[in-house]
């Protein structure tokens, strides 16, 4: 295994780090409230980062996702890439790719994902010679991150089929939902909504594995950003005439958080690398999701704890990392659920 970024991946990550670092500032995040920073999204698309994510593979997207997480940038970048660009590029027909991908590359179209399949949405495929993979969807998805920004939603139906739905289409209602993390979330109501099928058997599992890997990359960035703020704070804050960072308990807590962050990062890299090499990676995707959920929760708690009383301030930047870390834990399914799924997969596959 070689996780060393290619020249193209490194260049894309450097560009993402500069844009997110320069524009995803505390003041702008406060001004954006619970919504998306439209100006930042415009700059990201003008720089070609969605297209770069498509060209540099899942590992390239994980590298870019880290930079979004590091700054908790309020844009639907990773969601639109995994549920729009990469899903269509890997599982769409030639006609779907030609028609849909250009608008996702330039950011005029944004995708959200109604995942995972929870049995609340049912699909009825159109019949007849002119159906061409169309269908109708009925059901409710209580929470879809970035739905308020989306022009399209990739919906996982109860039978694990995938459907592309236009949010402005008939039979589609989106209602605003506020979560602890400002992800422009919404409630999706489908009442006979027209949709087009994406991919066939196995597409759901592959898109879900890719999404888990990419969001584990976001969590690696969130944790790295939280830890960097804690290091800066404990190095500058003095108690009893010396920096807090010289206390052994502080050092050990920070060291544990660092090791957890690296574990999240390396497992996400491994899963993405295997995907790009065409190797099976279902186990690795679940492993990265478990580390992102379990260890990510520990790291953001540590980052807040190491800030002392400052960490309890809801307006402090480190609190945003805490909220993102906890939301990503929930979005990935929770460590217990993910671990159970991984165990069931290992039992199913049996010893090698």
């Amino acid at each position: 295994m070689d996780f060393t970024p290619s020249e193209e991946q490194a260049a894309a990550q450097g560009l993402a780090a500069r844009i997110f670092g320069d524009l995803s500032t505390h003041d702008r995040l406060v001004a954006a409230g619970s919504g998306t920073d439209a100006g930042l999204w415009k700059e990201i698309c003008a720089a070609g980062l969605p297209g770069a994510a498509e060209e540099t593979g899942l590992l390239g997207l994980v590298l870019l996702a880290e930079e979004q997480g590091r700054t908790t940038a309020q844009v639907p970048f990773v969601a639109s890439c995994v549920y729009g660009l990469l899903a269509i590029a890997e599982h769409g027909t030639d006609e779907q790719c030609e028609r849909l991908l250009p608008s996702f590359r330039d950011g005029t179209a944004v995708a959200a994902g109604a995942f995972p399949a929870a049995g609340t949405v049912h699909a009825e495929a159109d019949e007849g010679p002119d159906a061409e993979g169309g269908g109708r969807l009925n059901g409710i998805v209580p929470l879809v991150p970035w739905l308020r920004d989306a022009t399209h939603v990739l919906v996982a139906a109860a039978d694990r089929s995938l459907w592309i739905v236009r949010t402005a289409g008939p039979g589609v209602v989106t209602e605003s939902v506020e979560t602890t993390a400002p992800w422009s979330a919404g409630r999706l109501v489908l009442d006979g909504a027209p949709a087009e099928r994406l991919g066939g058997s196995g597409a759901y599992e592959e898109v879900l594995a890719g999404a888990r890997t990419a969001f584990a990359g976001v969590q690696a960035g969130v944790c790295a950003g939280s830890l960097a703020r804690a290091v800066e704070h404990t190095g500058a804050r003095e108690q009893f005439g010396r920096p807090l960072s010289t206390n052994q308990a502080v050092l050990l807590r920070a060291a544990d958080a660092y090791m957890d962050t690296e574990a999240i990062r390396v497992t996400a890299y491994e899963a993405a690398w295997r995907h790009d090499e065409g190797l099976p990676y279902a186990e690795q995707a679940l492993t990265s999701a478990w580390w992102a959920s379990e260890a990510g929760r520990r790291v953001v708690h540590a980052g807040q704890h190491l800030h002392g009383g400052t960490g309890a301030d809801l307006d402090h930047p480190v609190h945003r990392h805490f909220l993102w870390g906890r939301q990503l834990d929930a979005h990935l399914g929770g460590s217990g659920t993910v671990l159970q799924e991984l165990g069931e997969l290992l039992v199913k596959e049996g010893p090698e």
Side-chain angles (χ1 to χ4, degrees):
M1 291 181 288
D2 182 6
F3 305 150
T4 304
S6 66
E7 184 177 342
E8 292 78 9
Q9 289 169 339
Q13 185 181 24
L15 178 60
R18 180 175 62 80
I19 295 175
F20 284 129
D22 289 347
L23 299 182
S24 185
T25 62
H26 178 61
D27 290 341
R28 288 184 64 136
L29 290 170
V30 170
S34 64
T36 288
D37 185 335
L40 175 57
W41 179 242
K42 182 178 180 180
E43 290 295 329
I44 288 170
C45 295
L49 287 183
E54 180 188 8
E55 294 171 2
T56 56
L58 186 55
L59 180 55
L61 177 56
V62 168
L63 294 171
L64 300 179
E66 275 192 75
E67 302 307 325
Q68 178 177 3
R70 196 185 310 274
T71 57
T72 60
Q74 290 177 203
V75 287
F77 175 67
V78 174
S80 190
C81 286
V82 294
Y83 298 124
L85 263 178
L86 298 188
I88 295 169
E90 293 182 4
H91 302 288
T93 63
D94 290 342
E95 188 278 331
Q96 285 175 321
C97 290
E98 183 178 356
R99 171 167 49 88
L100 297 172
L101 286 180
S103 58
F104 283 107
R105 291 185 186 119
D106 64 20
T108 54
V110 174
F115 270 66
T120 57
V121 176
H122 298 277
E124 181 179 345
D126 293 337
E127 298 180 356
D130 299 325
E132 296 183 355
R136 300 277 172 172
L137 301 184
N138 292 279
I140 298 173
V141 184
L143 179 66
V144 180
W146 307 111
L147 180 62
R148 302 199 312 257
D149 298 318
T151 58
H152 299 73
V153 186
L154 184 61
V155 180
D159 61 357
R160 297 195 170 190
S161 57
L162 294 182
W163 301 84
I164 302 173
V165 177
R166 291 187 61 88
T167 56
V172 181
V173 177
T174 60
E175 302 168 351
S176 178
V177 173
E178 296 296 336
T179 66
T180 54
W183 288 355
S184 299
R187 180 173 183 261
L188 180 66
V189 180
L190 302 169
D191 184 10
E196 57 180 299
R197 182 75 181 264
L198 181 69
S201 176
Y204 166 79
E205 288 78 10
E206 291 178 19
V207 172
L208 180 58
R212 281 170 164 161
T213 303
F215 282 107
V218 177
Q219 185 75 301
V222 169
C223 291
S226 175
L227 184 57
R229 291 189 183 279
V231 168
E232 181 182 5
H233 174 80
T234 56
R237 185 69 177 267
E238 291 191 358
Q239 191 175 60
F240 304 117
R242 61 177 186 174
L244 287 173
S245 59
T246 60
N247 293 327
Q248 188 177 39
V250 172
L251 290 170
L252 292 175
R253 191 80 193 273
D256 286 343
Y258 174 79
M259 294 305 296
D260 273 339
T261 301
E262 289 303 297
I264 299 169
R265 177 180 287 117
V266 73
T267 52
Y269 284 7
E270 181 185 10
W273 176 84
R274 290 182 65 89
H275 168 274
D276 293 346
E277 292 295 313
L279 300 171
Y281 77 110
E283 294 176 17
Q284 288 74 20
L286 283 167
T287 301
S288 68
W290 181 84
W291 273 105
S293 181
E294 178 74 13
R297 184 171 63 249
R298 288 197 298 264
V299 173
V300 296
H301 274 270
Q304 194 172 41
H305 184 202
L306 289 172
H307 277 77
T310 305
D313 183 356
L314 302 184
D315 295 324
H316 194 279
V318 77
H319 188 65
R320 187 174 289 107
H321 289 271
F322 175 78
L323 296 179
W324 272 62
R326 294 310 307 263
Q327 280 289 340
L328 283 165
D329 170 25
H331 185 59
L332 289 164
S335 58
T337 300
V338 172
L339 188 61
Q340 179 180 348
E341 189 175 340
L342 176 58
E344 291 171 351
L345 178 62
L346 293 174
V347 170
K348 180 180 179 181
E349 294 182 348
E352 294 184 359

